[in-house]
């Protein structure tokens, strides 16, 4: 009978080890899946950020363009101002 008790003890110990290993395996698998999902999402966000940067650079004017347009408008206003001055002096 002592051999039967030893075998039962070993079976119980083996069952606990099997359950423990299965629990650890499932936990590690879930953790691996979660981490992989987060890295995939991070890649997706990085791609979207790069596209946004490209769109911003495409849509906005540079400082030199703004300066050129401002100079052009200033010249137009100066001509208009000169014409108004001529009309006032002619009266």
């Amino acid at each position: 009978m002592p051999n039967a008790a030893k075998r039962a003890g070993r079976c119980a110990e083996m069952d606990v080890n099997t359950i423990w290993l299965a629990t650890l395996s499932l936990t590690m698998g879930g953790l691996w899946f979660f981490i992989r999902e987060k890295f995939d999402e991070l890649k997706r966000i990085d791609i979207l950020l790069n596209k946004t940067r490209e769109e911003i650079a495409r849509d906005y004017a540079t400082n030199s363009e703004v300066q050129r347009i401002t100079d052009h408008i200033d010249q137009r206003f100066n001509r208009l101002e000169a014409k108004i001055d001529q009309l006032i002096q002619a009266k």
Side-chain angles (χ1 to χ4, degrees), residues 7 16 18 20-21 23 30 32 34 42 45 49 51 53 55-56 59-60 64-65 73-74 76 82 85 87:
R7 277 191 222 135
V16 171
T18 303
W20 177 245
L21 287 175
T23 304
W32 176 254
F34 178 76
L42 187 61
I45 290 172
L49 181 62
K51 286 182 180 180
R53 287 181 185 153
E55 288 175 6
I56 288 174
D59 293 341
Y60 289 112
S64 62
E65 289 174 339
I73 292 172
D74 284 344
R76 293 285 183 163
D85 287 342
L87 286 173

Side-chain angles (χ1 to χ4, degrees), residues 22-33:
T23 304
L24 284 178
S25 296
L26 288 174
T27 303
M28 293 303 290
L31 185 62
W32 176 254
F33 178 76

Side-chain angles (χ1 to χ4, degrees), residues 26-73:
L26 288 174
T27 303
M28 293 303 290
L31 185 62
W32 176 254
F33 178 76
F34 178 76
I35 289 172
R36 190 177 55 140
E37 283 292 315
K38 293 303 169 190
F39 274 112
D40 289 345
E41 181 68 14
L42 187 61
K43 284 180 193 176
R44 188 182 74 80
I45 290 172
D46 190 36
I47 290 168
L48 289 174
L49 181 62
N50 288 335
K51 286 182 180 180
T52 303
R53 287 181 185 153
E54 291 170 4
E55 288 175 6
I56 288 174
R58 182 192 62 199
D59 293 341
Y60 289 112
T62 63
N63 287 339
S64 62
E65 289 174 339
V66 171
Q67 187 63 39
R68 184 180 55 82
I69 293 169
T70 305
D71 290 342
H72 182 72
I73 292 172

Side-chain angles (χ1 to χ4, degrees), residues 7-21:
R7 277 191 222 135
R10 277 190 248 144
C11 284
E13 184 179 310
M14 197 163 76
D15 287 341
V16 171
N17 283 339
T18 303
I19 292 171
W20 177 245
L21 287 175

Side-chain angles (χ1 to χ4, degrees), residues 72-86:
H72 182 72
I73 292 172
D74 284 344
Q75 289 173 2
R76 293 285 183 163
F77 276 123
N78 288 340
R79 280 193 225 154
L80 187 59
E81 187 178 306
K83 288 182 181 180
I84 292 172
D85 287 342
Q86 286 176 356

